[in-house]
Amino acid sequence: MMGILENNEQNRYADRSRGDGCPRGKLFATNWLEDVSSPADFDAVQVVFKNTRTGFYSNPNRLDLKINDVVAVEAAPGHDIGRVSMVGPLVRRQMRKTGIHPDAELKKVFRLATESDLEKFDEARAREHDTMIRARKIAEELELNMKIGDVEYQGDGGKAIFYYIADERVDFRKLIRILADTFKVRIEMKQIGARQEAGRIGGIGPCGRPLCCSSWMTHFVSVGTGAARVQDLSMNPQKLAGQCAKLKCCLNFEIDSYSEAHKKLPPKDAVLETKEGLYFYFKPDILARTVTYSTDKSIPANLVTIAASRAFEIIALNKQGIKVDTLLPDGDKEQVQKEYIDLVEQESLTRFDKSKKKKKKSKGNGTQQNPPAQTAAQPKQQEQPKKTNKPKGQHSGKKQNQGGNKPKEGGNQPRQQKKKKQQQPKNED
């Protein structure tokens, strides 16, 4: 019976912790040392709270804790409700990663959360939204340049954490006194950045997947424009910025691979000398290890793409005073792009409108385009009589209908003789 109660409590807490209807990946951890170690090897556990707030707690009572267990932990003052996200020797590694010594004094885990603990926790969570709205109005009345993004109540309801965003330093001492008198709880102000707010709200990134900050990232590393330059990306702030209006965190994911690949490319200031002329460094394909060279420094002209190994070979020959015939190795077909490619036009939003207009024109003139396609396979001798005889027949028919009476024989004889003379050589062909 106790096991069923614990499972129901875990499921209820898991439903509460989601908030947006979907589980957050950062709240789940895989104990990859489970087969080679035991949770009893290290008596500390990692506990996750709302807004990805985490903490390390000791287990003095030697409770058999597992990942996803709902526990009541020590707080200042009272107790808080959280969920176990990591156990065993893996916690020691995580503590070292965050800069906490494994022998440091930690707060304690009291017990597994009971039904009464969860009821108090529900009551506290139910007040969070109303508290946030009222706190925003109070901050606006005090004319404070800050935004209160979220409110988190402690498990026992005796403390509230106000998460706020501010571009500059804010003196909120008066705000804390007013909030404490209004809500009758202990107030704690915690400043967060734009990345933390985006991770709290969540969303879908341009890659089509949930945001990394809302799915699995817990620690944020500063991102600079140098990461975009190393990866040879367009320095367009609209494409490099994420939903938090900061540079995308994923720019740091592959920077090491690009840095190593850069070392295997020829230098940018190297000029390749051939019998045809000089070629200058234009554009690299870093991961493919190919380089495109141009005969002009400023604009793309006579572009030739070769492998990085071929470029190093030509540079070595040029140092010896030897000029190669062409950049391309022997046996390869010449691949020269003489036309100018406008990359900005390719990224324009109106690039799809032109194709739609062409399709509309082809649909409207579909009856006129089909006959030439059918007569293309026929010989030319059959096409010429149709083109010459058809309009002449139509023209003579129109004149006969307009007159109403039959033409005189004497008046039309010269015209008929001229027409016969004009048609004879064409029919002979």
Side-chain angles (χ1 to χ4, degrees):
M1 184 65 181
M2 186 62 184
I4 297 174
L5 179 61
E6 292 176 359
N7 292 332
N8 292 335
E9 292 172 355
Q10 292 173 4
N11 294 332
R12 286 176 57 189
Y13 182 80
D15 293 337
R16 295 188 195 95
S17 62
R18 293 170 186 173
D20 54 357
C22 62
R24 297 189 181 276
K26 66 179 65 177
L27 301 182
F28 299 88
T30 301
N31 188 7
W32 50 274
L33 295 176
E34 184 177 4
D35 297 335
V36 296
S37 64
S38 173
D41 296 341
F42 192 65
D43 60 349
V45 295
Q46 184 184 28
V47 182
V48 178
F49 304 93
K50 185 185 176 182
N51 287 336
T52 67
R53 181 171 61 92
T54 60
F56 298 96
Y57 296 86
S58 62
N59 186 13
N61 299 326
R62 297 292 179 178
L63 300 174
D64 186 15
L65 298 179
K66 299 178 182 178
I67 295 177
N68 207 30
D69 285 346
V70 184
V71 293
V73 298
E74 181 182 0
H79 69 274
D80 202 353
I81 303 297
R83 186 156 60 92
V84 177
S85 62
M86 194 177 296
V87 296
L90 203 62
V91 180
R92 183 188 288 109
R93 295 174 177 266
Q94 189 68 16
M95 291 175 66
R96 290 177 179 174
K97 183 179 178 181
T98 54
I100 301 176
H101 197 273
D103 297 333
E105 185 177 358
L106 304 175
K107 296 181 180 180
K108 303 176 183 178
V109 177
F110 289 149
R111 59 188 178 275
L112 289 171
T114 60
E115 188 67 24
S116 59
D117 293 335
L118 295 178
E119 289 179 358
K120 291 182 180 179
F121 185 64
D122 286 336
E123 294 176 0
R125 291 286 303 268
R127 294 183 292 168
E128 290 179 352
H129 183 70
D130 295 337
T131 302
M132 180 185 66
I133 300 301
R134 294 178 63 184
R136 287 181 178 178
K137 294 180 180 179
I138 295 173
E140 184 178 359
E141 293 175 357
L142 296 176
E143 298 181 355
L144 297 178
N145 188 14
M146 60 183 296
K147 174 188 175 183
I148 298 177
D150 198 4
V151 178
E152 178 185 0
Y153 271 94
Q154 198 170 269
D156 57 357
K159 180 182 175 182
I161 303 175
F162 290 80
Y163 296 91
Y164 71 94
I165 301 173
D167 297 333
E168 55 187 13
R169 187 177 178 183
V170 180
D171 185 8
F172 45 75
R173 289 176 293 181
K174 185 176 181 180
L175 175 64
I176 292 177
R177 291 195 297 269
I178 296 175
L179 294 178
D181 295 338
T182 304
F183 303 110
K184 308 299 181 183
V185 292
R186 187 174 180 178
I187 306 298
E188 179 182 350
M189 305 296 295
K190 189 172 182 180
Q191 185 175 3
I192 60 176
R195 288 189 172 93
Q196 286 83 353
E197 185 186 20
R200 183 187 62 82
I201 297 174
I204 302 298
C207 58
R209 298 176 61 87
L211 297 179
C212 297
C213 55
S214 64
S215 58
W216 61 272
M217 288 184 66
T218 55
H219 299 86
F220 299 94
V221 182
S222 61
V223 185
T225 56
R229 293 191 180 96
V230 171
Q231 300 177 45
D232 196 22
L233 298 176
S234 175
M235 301 304 292
N236 187 351
Q238 294 181 353
K239 293 187 176 181
L240 296 180
Q243 295 186 5
C244 58
K246 304 291 183 180
L247 292 178
K248 295 179 181 177
C249 297
C250 56
L251 293 176
N252 286 340
F253 295 168
E254 298 180 357
I255 188 172
D256 295 335
S257 301
Y258 277 88
S259 299
E260 294 179 1
H262 260 294
K263 299 177 182 178
K264 300 179 181 180
L265 295 178
K268 295 183 178 180
D269 56 351
V271 180
L272 304 185
E273 299 178 3
T274 64
K275 295 179 180 179
E276 300 175 350
L278 301 179
Y279 283 87
F280 302 93
Y281 192 99
F282 177 68
K283 181 182 178 182
D285 191 341
I286 302 172
L287 299 182
R289 296 179 185 176
T290 59
V291 184
T292 302
Y293 285 89
S294 172
T295 56
D296 194 291
K297 288 184 178 180
S298 56
I299 62 173
N302 301 324
L303 299 180
V304 180
T305 303
I306 59 175
S309 58
R310 175 62 177 173
F312 282 115
E313 181 183 350
I314 297 174
I315 292 173
L317 293 174
N318 292 154
K319 289 181 179 179
Q320 298 176 5
I322 302 174
K323 293 183 179 181
V324 296
D325 297 334
T326 59
L327 293 184
L328 296 173
D330 297 337
D332 289 357
K333 296 181 179 180
E334 189 176 0
Q335 299 176 354
V336 181
Q337 299 178 0
K338 296 184 179 180
E339 296 182 359
Y340 176 73
I341 300 174
D342 191 358
L343 299 178
V344 178
E345 185 179 356
Q346 292 180 0
E347 298 176 357
S348 176
L349 294 176
T350 59
R351 64 184 184 275
F352 301 107
D353 298 341
K354 297 180 181 179
S355 59
K356 291 181 179 179
K357 291 180 180 178
K358 291 180 180 179
K359 290 180 180 178
K360 290 180 180 179
K361 290 181 179 179
S362 61
K363 288 180 181 179
N365 301 331
T367 56
Q368 297 179 1
Q369 292 179 357
N370 291 333
Q374 294 176 359
T375 58
Q378 297 178 1
K380 295 182 179 180
Q381 295 179 357
Q382 297 178 1
E383 292 178 358
Q384 290 178 358
K386 290 181 179 179
K387 291 181 180 179
T388 55
N389 294 334
K390 187 174 181 179
K392 289 180 180 179
Q394 291 177 356
H395 182 68
S396 60
K398 287 181 180 179
K399 285 189 174 181
Q400 291 175 2
N401 293 333
Q402 288 177 0
N405 298 326
K406 292 182 179 181
K408 297 181 180 179
E409 295 180 356
N412 289 333
Q413 282 181 358
R415 291 186 179 180
Q416 292 177 358
Q417 291 177 1
K418 290 180 181 180
K419 290 181 181 179
K420 288 180 180 180
K421 290 180 181 180
Q422 292 177 358
Q423 293 178 359
Q424 282 177 1
K426 292 183 180 179
N427 293 330
E428 288 176 1
D429 294 336

